Structures are given as C-alpha cells and as structure tokens.
Amino acid sequence: MKVASYNIHKCRGTDRLVRPDRIIGVLGEIGADLVALQEVDRRFGQRIGLLDPLTLQKETGLHLLVQSDHVDGHGWHGNALLVRGEPVFYRRFRLTLPGLEPRGAVVAELDLGEGKFRVIAAHLGLLRRSRVDQANALLNAFLELVPMPTILLGDFNEWRRSRKSSLNVLEPYFGGSQPLPSFPAQRPMLSLDRILGWPQGLISELAVHDTPLSRKASDHLPLKGRVDLEAVSASFRKAAA
C-alpha cells in the first residue's frame, strides 16, 4: 500500500496562483492508496474545501473522507484523508490539539482490503513549545487506543533534532524520523513533513515526490512511502501481546 502526506497550501502554488487542478495532477503522479492532506480548506470565512471531490475521484481514483462539520468543508483544522475506493471498514474521531494556534488531528481506523490499520494525520504548530505539547497529545491518544498498525503522518513543522525537538516525544514508539527535505518546494532544505509507523518496519521506501509540477503546485513537496501490513504482522503480534 502506497501512502503520502501533502501540505497543499490551500492550492496556492509557488507562483501565487490558486490552482486546485495542479494539486490533483500531483496526486495523480503519486498514485497513492492513502493520502493525508494539510491546509485543504480556506482559512478564513466559510471553511470551504478547495478540491472538487468528483474531479478528484475521476482524475486520481481517490475518494475524499470528509472530516469537516462545515457545509462544503473537507478537513478538520485543515487535515483531510483521501483513499483509493471505498474502505471495507472506516471509523474516525478528531483531536483538538493544545497550543496558541488552533490545531487538530484526525484519527482514523481503516481497512482498504489488506487488514485494519490506524492513521493519525496532523499539522503541528509554528511554536516549538506548542509542537512539544501537541506531540505529547498525539502520543497519549495513540497509547490509549487498542493496539494496531499505526501510520502517523503530516506536516510537523519540525526540522530540529535537538533535545528540545518535538520528534523526541514520538521516537520511543515510532523510531527515528528520516529527514527528507520537502520545504520550500522550489529549493527544499527543511524536513517539515513526516511519515512514521508503529511497529517499526511498517513504513519503507520513504521519498520526496519531486517533479516539475510538484515544485509549482504548493510550497511543500509531497512525502510518500510504502506500508506493508503483512511484513509487520509477526512483530505487531509480539508488541501487542
């Protein structure tokens, strides 16, 4: 199963043009089975989603799992999930994350035909102290849930690996995070976007999706990886015992 995380910057490209068609084009290039999107709704006024679900499904085969309570909205604090086709099983809840800025995360349990797994999709804050508190909130939510293979992904706004990094909160369970520069899109230098997995070995083939179109469509490049549920089945049973 191929997964991706993509901050679409409200469909505003590096040329400052708002072009949802380019975001859909990038998603078509990636060809993922599951995508976590960030900044998928307008920020001010009515929180309208910026992608057309019918066009998205027609062009990419991806189905929008709406997280918003707003009419025509897509995300929860900008976080939305896309999956290929209709899930065999799907349930979700939403987390409000601590901090000075309004932030949130989507927690979804899914079966896309290969067995159940969990996704935690988040967009962490700009302030370091808030990111640490938010990472702790994500970890506490993960620890309170029934154990199952878990993908934690999104824009973590964290490039530091010092002792004060919010990534240190997650490392005991999700392992070290491979730094892959994804921001800014035209000259990527900072590893803001992450795809982590539990148990270790769940995620492989991590890479930045760097193409001429992705360098124009948003200020972030997408991050992609592969999830092999069968490969972790033995270690998962041991960890859950």
Side-chain angles (χ1 to χ4, degrees):
M1 180 174 66
K2 195 172 184 179
V3 300
S5 178
Y6 192 14
N7 184 331
I8 66 172
H9 193 48
K10 306 173 191 67
C11 299
R12 186 178 298 276
T14 52
D15 56 6
R16 303 190 63 79
L17 297 178
V18 177
R19 293 274 305 274
D21 61 300
R22 294 192 296 202
I23 297 297
I24 290 175
V26 173
L27 292 170
E29 288 180 345
I30 297 170
D33 303 294
L34 180 144
V35 185
L37 297 179
Q38 302 89 48
E39 297 193 22
V40 74
D41 302 309
R42 292 179 181 170
R43 184 173 183 181
F44 301 108
Q46 192 174 3
R47 297 295 183 90
I48 296 173
L50 292 162
L51 298 174
D52 177 59
L54 293 179
T55 303
L56 177 70
Q57 190 166 6
K58 179 181 178 182
E59 297 294 329
T60 69
L62 293 169
H63 174 70
L64 174 68
L65 299 178
V66 175
Q67 311 301 324
S68 177
D69 292 329
H70 296 280
V71 176
D72 297 324
H74 295 343
W76 171 249
H77 290 282
N79 296 290
L81 292 176
L82 308 175
V83 296
R84 188 166 300 283
E86 291 283 351
V88 176
F89 172 84
Y90 169 58
R91 69 179 179 186
R92 61 98 167 129
F93 66 90
R94 302 174 300 190
L95 295 175
T96 298
L97 298 178
L100 295 178
E101 310 163 83
R103 297 281 174 169
V106 173
V107 182
E109 294 174 359
L110 296 147
D111 186 341
L112 300 181
E114 298 181 16
K116 287 186 181 180
F117 63 97
R118 180 179 294 116
V119 176
I120 304 176
H123 186 182
L124 303 190
L126 297 174
L127 302 176
R128 186 197 63 80
R129 181 67 256 177
S130 293
R131 289 196 297 273
V132 172
D133 292 341
Q134 291 159 5
N136 274 297
L138 293 176
L139 183 62
N140 289 337
F142 164 75
L143 293 174
E144 290 172 1
L145 294 168
V146 174
M148 70 173 62
T150 298
I151 307 164
L152 172 58
L153 75 174
D155 178 357
F156 288 5
N157 266 319
E158 186 67 89
W159 60 94
R160 302 174 183 86
R161 286 316 313 262
S162 68
R163 62 184 181 83
K164 295 183 178 181
S165 170
S166 59
L167 297 172
N168 295 336
V169 173
L170 305 168
E171 189 166 348
Y173 288 89
F174 291 92
S177 179
Q178 181 181 352
L180 294 169
S182 57
F183 179 87
Q186 289 185 318
R187 187 176 292 179
M189 295 180 290
L190 302 178
S191 304
L192 302 186
D193 304 282
R194 306 280 170 163
I195 302 177
L196 308 174
W198 181 89
Q200 293 189 35
L202 180 65
I203 309 294
S204 63
E205 300 179 30
L206 277 176
V208 173
H209 183 76
D210 189 351
T211 65
L213 183 58
S214 67
R215 287 203 171 206
K216 291 181 180 178
S218 171
D219 63 346
H220 283 247
L221 295 175
L223 190 62
K224 58 190 178 182
R226 191 163 295 280
V227 174
D228 190 340
L229 294 174
E230 284 195 20
V232 302
S233 59
S235 60
F236 171 70
R237 286 194 297 268
K238 181 178 179 181

